[in-house]
Amino acid sequence: MGTAYLILVGIAAIALLLFLVMAFKWPAYIALVAVSVVAAVAAGMPLDEVIPTVIAGMGGTLGSVALLVGLGAMLGGIVEKTGGAEALARSITRKLGEDRVVPALVIAASLISIPIFYDVAFIILVPLIYSFGKAAGHRSPLILGLPIGPLMVYIHNTVPPHPGITAATVSLTGDVGLLMLVGLAISVPVGVVAYFLAKYLNRTVFELSPEIQEHFVHAGADEPIAGIDQNGGGSGGSTGSGGTAAVGAATSTSAPTAPVRTAPGGGEVLFAILLPVAMIAVGTIGNLLFEDGSAEARATAFIGAPAFALLVACVLSYYLLGVRHHWSAGEVTEIMEGALGPAAVVIFVTGAGGVLAKVLTESGIGDALANSLLQTGIPIIVLAFLLSAAFKVSQGSGTVASQTTAALLASTIIGGDYSAIQIVLILVAIGCGANSLTHVNDSAFWITTKYLGLSVADGFKTWSLMGLVLALTGFAMSCLLWLIV
């Protein structure tokens, strides 16, 4: 097949995918697999190789993604349900002081968002945004919510073990551990920008919806905030000086000796979240210090393998955050297994994205498209950002945007003379593109604006603007590092 024909097939396949998802509202899983099959046939792939290629694409992606996303979801589930997110936020606030509640919650939110999907993590923090904001005398939940939400979704799009960026890393054969460390490092200046930009935007008094205004006025009262599960751990009772709170305490007079569950302390939660990051850092540093094949290199590679690091964190959290605080073994197991339900949908969609990536690679469509775009003279890192941003604005899903972009560029990047750090920076650029231009076709837009009481117009002025600025900041940092390395 000629290059021009393959490019047309690729463009048509992407257009068909967007049409099926946006116009016909097809499930993304079915749409991705169906389009992959059609594209493979249209590109001239032998018919007896089409389904084996589909299976190889699914299996190759799920091998890494399912393991990382599943373990990450279980770690996030136990942090969420045991009250760990609130404990961490309150602990950091006490350390920094009540007058620094905004930076305290920004730091806490960024840590919480490492293992927990954005939608869940933000909803966990909503009661704290309300109660902390009211206690600090703020006029609106936006004072706290505006820097927190955009930074959390930025981390979701750029840092493993979140599904989109993890799948993209698999497609480009990147180093997940190195990406996590570089992604978190770049998140620091991005967080600073989020803090000051939100502070500037909050100079404008945005009109809140009556329902949210009412809830904010009564923040801290016993009544639940609409749409929030008060027993989910994120909005449990307030912590004392020791960082614990009674959650789900036994109230039956017939069982006075039943142990009272307590929320974990902030230090315990911080340890559970940062332990896998530290282990991955050991592996990355060991790879730089020790000779390939040496005993030291093998040991640090084992310790720093992201899947092993998350497994260790999950096992320790089972006791540290659960059993130690009087949750029964069965209850902790139920919490952790329950976290796999929502993650399963994401995993399957991610696997279907891997099918499309495999088809684009094996059929030559990816090479044809990428080479044609590179002939325009656009640097690969800029091209990665622009492609991802285009997919993001057109169909709304950052996961799909990251996967599709990586699929188109995979052959070019894998076959090119790019170092491990350069591939990581390309991945950061892809994640930043998947974070940009968020609007009404993105579920995160609706979740955030709903809970903060913003109109659609004000959502564009705040949420969408901040998402774009943070994406550009992260992309600028990746470009700067690209010039250095």
Side-chain angles (χ1 to χ4, degrees):
M1 297 291 178
T3 299
Y5 176 76
L6 289 175
I7 291 174
L8 288 175
V9 171
I11 294 172
I14 293 167
L16 177 60
L17 173 63
L18 297 177
F19 183 72
L20 291 175
V21 172
M22 297 169 62
F24 283 173
K25 308 299 182 184
W26 275 32
Y29 179 74
I30 294 178
L32 283 163
V33 175
V35 168
S36 299
V37 172
V38 171
V41 174
M45 184 178 291
L47 294 180
D48 61 339
E49 295 181 10
V50 173
I51 299 304
T53 301
V54 168
I55 293 173
M58 178 69 74
T61 302
L62 292 185
S64 297
V65 172
L67 191 58
L68 294 178
V69 174
L71 289 170
M74 295 180 85
L75 176 60
I78 196 167
V79 169
E80 171 200 352
K81 297 296 184 182
T82 59
E86 179 178 356
L88 179 61
R90 292 186 182 277
S91 177
I92 293 177
T93 301
R94 284 197 304 274
K95 295 293 184 183
L96 295 183
E98 294 293 339
D99 56 335
R100 297 185 180 89
V101 65
V102 178
L105 278 189
V106 169
I107 293 171
S110 62
L111 293 171
I112 291 166
S113 62
I114 295 173
I116 304 178
F117 292 172
Y118 171 74
D119 294 3
V120 175
F122 184 75
I123 291 173
I124 290 171
L125 289 177
V126 166
L128 299 183
I129 290 172
Y130 279 65
S131 59
F132 281 36
K134 182 67 182 298
H138 296 313
R139 67 176 185 272
S140 163
L142 288 172
I143 305 299
L144 293 177
L146 202 50
I148 288 174
L151 177 59
M152 291 174 75
V153 83
Y154 172 86
I155 292 173
H156 179 96
N157 281 311
T158 58
V159 178
H162 295 297
I165 193 65
T166 302
T169 307
V170 172
S171 294
L172 301 186
T173 64
D175 186 327
V176 174
L178 184 59
L179 173 60
M180 177 177 280
L181 297 179
V182 172
L184 287 174
I186 291 177
S187 295
V188 174
V190 170
V192 173
V193 171
Y195 173 77
F196 285 104
L197 178 58
K199 191 173 184 180
Y200 173 78
L201 292 176
N202 274 316
R203 294 169 58 184
T204 301
V205 179
F206 295 97
E207 182 178 355
L208 304 182
S209 66
E211 179 187 9
I212 295 302
Q213 182 63 53
E214 178 71 14
H215 283 308
F216 184 69
V217 168
H218 295 95
D222 291 336
E223 72 226 41
I225 296 172
I228 303 297
D229 177 8
Q230 295 295 308
N231 294 320
S235 54
S238 63
T239 56
S241 60
T244 60
V247 287
T251 59
S252 172
T253 57
S254 64
T257 59
V260 177
R261 295 178 192 154
T262 56
E268 293 172 307
V269 179
L270 189 63
F271 176 77
I273 292 174
L274 294 185
L275 174 63
V277 177
M279 292 178 66
I280 289 169
V282 169
T284 302
I285 294 171
N287 184 52
L288 298 174
L289 295 179
F290 303 120
E291 183 180 352
D292 288 345
S294 66
E296 295 84 358
R298 293 176 187 275
T300 54
F302 175 71
I303 293 171
F308 179 67
L310 285 169
L311 176 62
V312 171
C314 285
V315 171
L316 288 179
S317 297
Y318 178 91
Y319 170 77
L320 192 64
L321 306 185
V323 174
R324 186 170 182 269
H325 291 277
H326 308 299
W327 292 79
S328 71
E331 289 170 333
V332 179
T333 296
E334 185 177 352
I335 287 173
M336 299 180 80
E337 289 181 344
L340 292 177
V345 176
V346 176
I347 289 170
F348 272 103
V349 172
T350 305
V355 172
L356 179 60
K358 187 71 172 178
V359 166
L360 291 176
T361 301
E362 295 297 322
S363 65
I365 293 174
D367 272 343
L369 279 169
N371 290 335
S372 297
L373 290 170
L374 288 171
Q375 286 176 5
T376 64
I378 301 175
I380 187 70
I381 191 169
V382 177
L383 181 59
F385 175 81
L386 293 177
L387 280 175
S388 186
F391 287 126
K392 170 66 175 180
V393 72
S394 61
Q395 51 78 44
S397 170
T399 298
V400 173
S402 294
Q403 283 187 273
T404 309
T405 302
L408 290 174
L409 299 178
S411 297
T412 300
I413 293 173
I414 293 172
D417 187 22
Y418 297 104
S419 66
I421 186 65
Q422 286 178 319
I423 292 177
V424 160
L425 294 175
I426 291 171
L427 285 164
V428 172
I430 289 174
C432 289
N435 190 79
S436 63
L437 305 173
T438 175
H439 59 95
V440 295
N441 63 356
D442 183 0
S443 63
F445 177 91
W446 294 108
I447 289 172
T448 311
T449 54
K450 171 189 173 184
Y451 279 100
L452 296 182
L454 292 168
S455 66
V456 172
D458 287 341
F460 286 136
K461 296 174 185 176
T462 54
W463 169 260
S464 298
L465 175 61
M466 286 201 65
L468 177 59
V469 171
L470 298 192
L472 291 173
T473 302
F475 175 57
M477 293 296 300
S478 65
C479 289
L480 179 61
L481 291 173
W482 181 275
L483 295 176
I484 295 174
V485 301

